[in-house]
Structures are given as structure tokens and as C-alpha cells.
Amino acid sequence: MRVLAVAMVLLLIGGMMPSCSEEHKEVIDGDVDYEVTPTMTTTRVETLISDSGIIRYRITSPVWYMFEEAQKPRWTFPEGLTLERYDNYFKKDGTITCDSATYLKQQGLWRLDGNVRVTNPVGEKFLTNQLFWNEKSHRVYSDSFIHIERADRVLEGFGFNSNDRMTEYVIRNVSGIFPVESFRAGDATPDDNPPGDDLEDSN
């Protein structure tokens, strides 16, 4: 009797599995909006990114959302991001921090928002409210206010273009050039409003 009872339970479970599986599939297909629901969430992120077998970046962030099934696949870091860049000898030669970040995979385009702070290989510091980084064109740019601290002077203006190492750059509309003694590190506070949420690369 006990063997028969076990066999009946197994048969009952086996008969239920296809219908449960099908019902679960319908719920996913019909109710989940992949434009707003991430396919993967990772917390306390710390990851290394390599290029041609050489480690180039370290990314740390409290939370990382991946929208792989969205019409425009993207990653978002809503609680901030820190990125360290390394040279061929794994020596740190630059850092980027921001309050939030979005990466569009197909375009290879990063958008960094809120208290964006960058240090380049020669120790120059950049402060802005919004910065775009196009991996494919190796360009960095912004339409926002930009504050640059160099060894000899401080530059300020609106609109910025640079190579991706932030070593060759141009301010499109310079608003001031000051002796470095006029500023203390961190004095500048950009107060312009970022131009919307459109991530499309226009440069």
C-alpha cells in the first residue's frame, strides 16, 4: 500500500508540472515589462574589466541593474558609480565618480550624472553635473558647466570635448580662467540643469 501511495503522489506531481510550467511562462510573457523591470540585479558590485587580456578598469557600485531584454539594452547604476582606470602595468592612472550612471550597450555610450568628478593621468581634476563617454569614438563630452583644476590655473566654462583619457580637451565656451590659488579643491559646485534624459549620442 505504501509503495502504491508513493507512486500515486509522484504521478500526481508529474501530471501537474507541465501545467504549472506553462502558467509560469504565461505570467512572464504577459505581465513583465522589460523596459522597467531589470533582468538581473547585483548589489555591492566590484568587478574588473579587461581589454585584449589586460585589466583596464575596476567598477564599484552599491547596485547594478541590467535591462538586457529592453528595446535598447542598458545598465543602470542609480546609487552611484566609481571607476578606476589602469595602464598597461596595472597602475591606476585615472578615476571617475558620479551620483548615478547609465550605459547603453548597443551604442557603447555612458552617461554620468550628478557630482561627476574625474581625475586624469597627470592629476588634473574635472567637475561637472553631466558627462558622456562614447567608447566607440573614444570621446568624452558635455554640454554642462565644467570646472577644471590644473597645476597652474583653474578653467571654467560650458561645453566640453576630450579624448577618453581626458588629456586633450577643449572648453567650447570659456567663462573664466583663474590662478589656482583662488580656489580650494572642491570649491566649485555646478548648478546647471542636465539636458533631459535622452541618451542618444549627438557628437
Side-chain angles (χ1 to χ4, degrees):
M1 283 291 295
R2 182 174 180 178
V3 174
L4 179 60
V6 171
M8 291 180 65
V9 170
L10 292 176
L11 181 62
L12 179 62
I13 293 174
M16 291 174 60
M17 286 180 64
S19 61
C20 289
S21 175
E22 185 66 27
E23 180 179 317
H24 182 64
K25 180 178 179 181
E26 290 176 1
V27 169
I28 291 176
D29 289 346
D31 294 343
V32 175
D33 183 355
Y34 287 114
E35 296 300 323
V36 297
T37 303
T39 52
M40 181 178 294
T41 299
T42 306
T43 58
R44 296 188 297 276
V45 177
E46 183 172 347
T47 185
L48 298 174
I49 299 176
S50 62
D51 181 14
S52 302
I54 300 175
I55 294 175
R56 293 297 186 188
Y57 305 101
R58 180 196 301 273
I59 292 178
T60 57
S61 178
V63 61
W64 176 6
Y65 296 129
M66 302 177 68
F67 296 85
E68 299 290 341
E69 300 299 325
Q71 185 176 1
K72 294 182 178 180
R74 67 190 186 278
W75 302 341
T76 64
F77 303 83
E79 298 182 19
L81 174 73
T82 297
L83 184 146
E84 298 177 346
R85 179 165 40 203
Y86 300 97
D87 63 15
N88 292 339
Y89 304 99
F90 199 56
K91 180 181 177 180
K92 186 169 69 175
D93 71 353
T95 61
I96 298 173
T97 62
C98 60
D99 289 345
S100 65
T102 300
Y103 176 65
L104 291 181
K105 292 185 64 177
Q106 294 174 343
Q107 290 89 334
L109 180 66
W110 286 89
R111 188 183 78 182
L112 313 176
D113 289 300
N115 293 311
V116 183
R117 297 175 182 268
V118 182
T119 303
N120 71 6
V122 297
E124 296 174 338
K125 298 176 182 179
F126 304 77
L127 175 62
T128 185
N129 256 349
Q130 186 178 73
L131 199 66
F132 292 88
W133 171 21
N134 190 312
E135 290 182 336
K136 294 183 179 181
S137 63
H138 302 285
R139 305 302 300 175
V140 175
Y141 55 92
S142 175
D143 292 327
S144 301
F145 172 82
I146 184 80
H147 169 95
I148 304 173
E149 296 180 8
R150 299 173 54 167
D152 56 343
R153 60 185 182 271
V154 172
L155 309 176
E156 292 185 341
F158 291 84
F160 175 81
N161 287 285
S162 173
N163 63 350
D164 58 3
R165 287 174 57 81
M166 305 288 280
T167 54
E168 299 177 4
Y169 51 84
V170 174
I171 299 176
R172 294 198 293 272
N173 296 293
V174 177
S175 61
I177 301 176
F178 311 96
V180 70
E181 294 81 8
S182 300
F183 287 85
R184 297 191 307 274
D187 276 352
T189 304
D191 57 3
D192 62 308
N193 295 318
D197 294 328
D198 187 5
L199 285 179
E200 294 298 334
D201 181 7
S202 60
N203 288 317

